[in-house]
Short mmCIF file of all heavy atoms in Angstrom, two decimals:
data_model
loop_
_atom_site.label_atom_id
_atom_site.label_comp_id
_atom_site.label_asym_id
_atom_site.label_seq_id
_atom_site.Cartn_x
_atom_site.Cartn_y
_atom_site.Cartn_z
N PHE A 65 33.58 -112.21 -88.00
CA PHE A 65 32.31 -112.44 -87.27
C PHE A 65 31.51 -111.13 -87.19
O PHE A 65 30.31 -111.08 -87.47
CB PHE A 65 32.63 -113.02 -85.89
CG PHE A 65 31.57 -112.81 -84.84
CD1 PHE A 65 30.28 -113.30 -85.03
CD2 PHE A 65 31.87 -112.15 -83.65
CE1 PHE A 65 29.31 -113.10 -84.04
CE2 PHE A 65 30.91 -111.96 -82.68
CZ PHE A 65 29.62 -112.43 -82.87
N MET A 168 39.29 -111.02 -57.94
CA MET A 168 39.70 -109.60 -57.82
C MET A 168 39.29 -109.01 -56.47
O MET A 168 39.66 -107.88 -56.16
CB MET A 168 39.02 -108.76 -58.91
CG MET A 168 39.48 -109.02 -60.32
SD MET A 168 41.20 -108.55 -60.56
CE MET A 168 41.10 -106.77 -60.38
N ILE A 190 21.62 -117.28 -57.69
CA ILE A 190 20.68 -117.44 -58.82
C ILE A 190 21.17 -118.44 -59.86
O ILE A 190 20.48 -118.70 -60.84
CB ILE A 190 20.40 -116.09 -59.53
CG1 ILE A 190 21.69 -115.52 -60.13
CG2 ILE A 190 19.72 -115.09 -58.62
CD1 ILE A 190 21.44 -114.47 -61.20
N THR A 406 -13.98 -95.66 -30.11
CA THR A 406 -13.83 -95.59 -31.57
C THR A 406 -12.37 -95.82 -31.94
O THR A 406 -11.46 -95.27 -31.31
CB THR A 406 -14.28 -94.19 -32.07
OG1 THR A 406 -15.65 -94.05 -31.76
CG2 THR A 406 -14.07 -94.04 -33.57
N GLU A 425 13.49 -86.60 -50.20
CA GLU A 425 13.15 -86.22 -51.57
C GLU A 425 14.13 -86.82 -52.56
O GLU A 425 15.24 -87.21 -52.19
CB GLU A 425 13.14 -84.71 -51.70
CG GLU A 425 14.50 -84.11 -51.42
CD GLU A 425 14.50 -82.59 -51.50
OE1 GLU A 425 13.62 -81.96 -50.91
OE2 GLU A 425 15.39 -82.07 -52.17
N ALA A 479 -7.04 -116.28 -52.53
CA ALA A 479 -6.10 -115.35 -53.18
C ALA A 479 -4.96 -115.12 -52.20
O ALA A 479 -5.13 -115.34 -51.00
CB ALA A 479 -6.81 -114.04 -53.46
N SER A 480 -3.79 -114.71 -52.68
CA SER A 480 -2.68 -114.48 -51.76
C SER A 480 -2.95 -113.23 -50.94
O SER A 480 -3.13 -112.15 -51.51
CB SER A 480 -1.39 -114.25 -52.53
OG SER A 480 -1.18 -115.28 -53.42
N VAL A 510 1.00 -103.27 -28.70
CA VAL A 510 1.37 -102.08 -29.46
C VAL A 510 2.55 -101.41 -28.76
O VAL A 510 2.56 -101.28 -27.53
CB VAL A 510 0.17 -101.10 -29.54
CG1 VAL A 510 0.58 -99.80 -30.24
CG2 VAL A 510 -0.99 -101.76 -30.26
N ILE A 654 -8.48 -50.48 -38.98
CA ILE A 654 -8.04 -49.65 -40.12
C ILE A 654 -7.13 -48.52 -39.65
O ILE A 654 -6.12 -48.21 -40.29
CB ILE A 654 -9.26 -49.14 -40.93
CG1 ILE A 654 -8.77 -48.46 -42.22
CG2 ILE A 654 -10.13 -48.16 -40.16
CD1 ILE A 654 -9.88 -48.16 -43.22
N GLY A 678 -3.23 -54.05 -56.48
CA GLY A 678 -2.25 -53.12 -57.01
C GLY A 678 -2.85 -52.28 -58.12
O GLY A 678 -2.57 -51.08 -58.25
N ARG A 690 -4.10 -36.67 -61.26
CA ARG A 690 -4.82 -35.79 -62.19
C ARG A 690 -5.60 -34.73 -61.42
O ARG A 690 -5.67 -33.56 -61.83
CB ARG A 690 -5.73 -36.62 -63.09
CG ARG A 690 -4.88 -37.34 -64.15
CD ARG A 690 -5.61 -38.34 -64.98
NE ARG A 690 -4.71 -38.82 -66.05
CZ ARG A 690 -4.76 -40.03 -66.56
NH1 ARG A 690 -5.64 -40.91 -66.12
NH2 ARG A 690 -3.92 -40.36 -67.52
N VAL A 735 9.09 -43.46 -71.78
CA VAL A 735 10.54 -43.23 -71.82
C VAL A 735 11.25 -44.58 -71.86
O VAL A 735 10.71 -45.58 -71.38
CB VAL A 735 11.03 -42.39 -70.61
CG1 VAL A 735 10.55 -40.95 -70.73
CG2 VAL A 735 10.59 -43.00 -69.30
N GLY A 806 4.32 -31.70 -62.29
CA GLY A 806 3.75 -33.04 -62.16
C GLY A 806 4.06 -33.67 -60.79
O GLY A 806 4.89 -33.16 -60.03
N PHE A 827 12.01 -47.07 -53.21
CA PHE A 827 12.41 -45.71 -53.62
C PHE A 827 13.49 -45.15 -52.69
O PHE A 827 14.27 -44.28 -53.07
CB PHE A 827 11.19 -44.77 -53.69
CG PHE A 827 10.48 -44.53 -52.38
CD1 PHE A 827 10.98 -43.62 -51.45
CD2 PHE A 827 9.32 -45.22 -52.07
CE1 PHE A 827 10.33 -43.41 -50.24
CE2 PHE A 827 8.66 -45.01 -50.87
CZ PHE A 827 9.16 -44.12 -49.94
N HIS A 897 16.86 -60.09 -43.00
CA HIS A 897 17.01 -61.44 -43.56
C HIS A 897 17.10 -61.37 -45.09
O HIS A 897 17.94 -62.02 -45.71
CB HIS A 897 15.80 -62.28 -43.12
CG HIS A 897 15.79 -63.68 -43.65
ND1 HIS A 897 16.49 -64.70 -43.08
CD2 HIS A 897 15.16 -64.21 -44.73
CE1 HIS A 897 16.30 -65.81 -43.77
NE2 HIS A 897 15.49 -65.53 -44.78
N ASP A 935 23.85 -64.62 -75.35
CA ASP A 935 25.07 -65.19 -75.91
C ASP A 935 26.20 -64.15 -75.76
O ASP A 935 25.99 -63.10 -75.14
CB ASP A 935 24.86 -65.64 -77.36
CG ASP A 935 24.57 -64.48 -78.30
OD1 ASP A 935 24.74 -63.32 -77.87
OD2 ASP A 935 24.19 -64.73 -79.45
#
Side-chain angles (χ1 to χ4, degrees):
F65 157 59
M168 291 295 293
I190 62 161
T406 298
E425 62 182 48
S480 308
V510 176
I654 188 169
R690 285 172 173 149
V735 290
F827 63 80
H897 178 82
D935 66 11

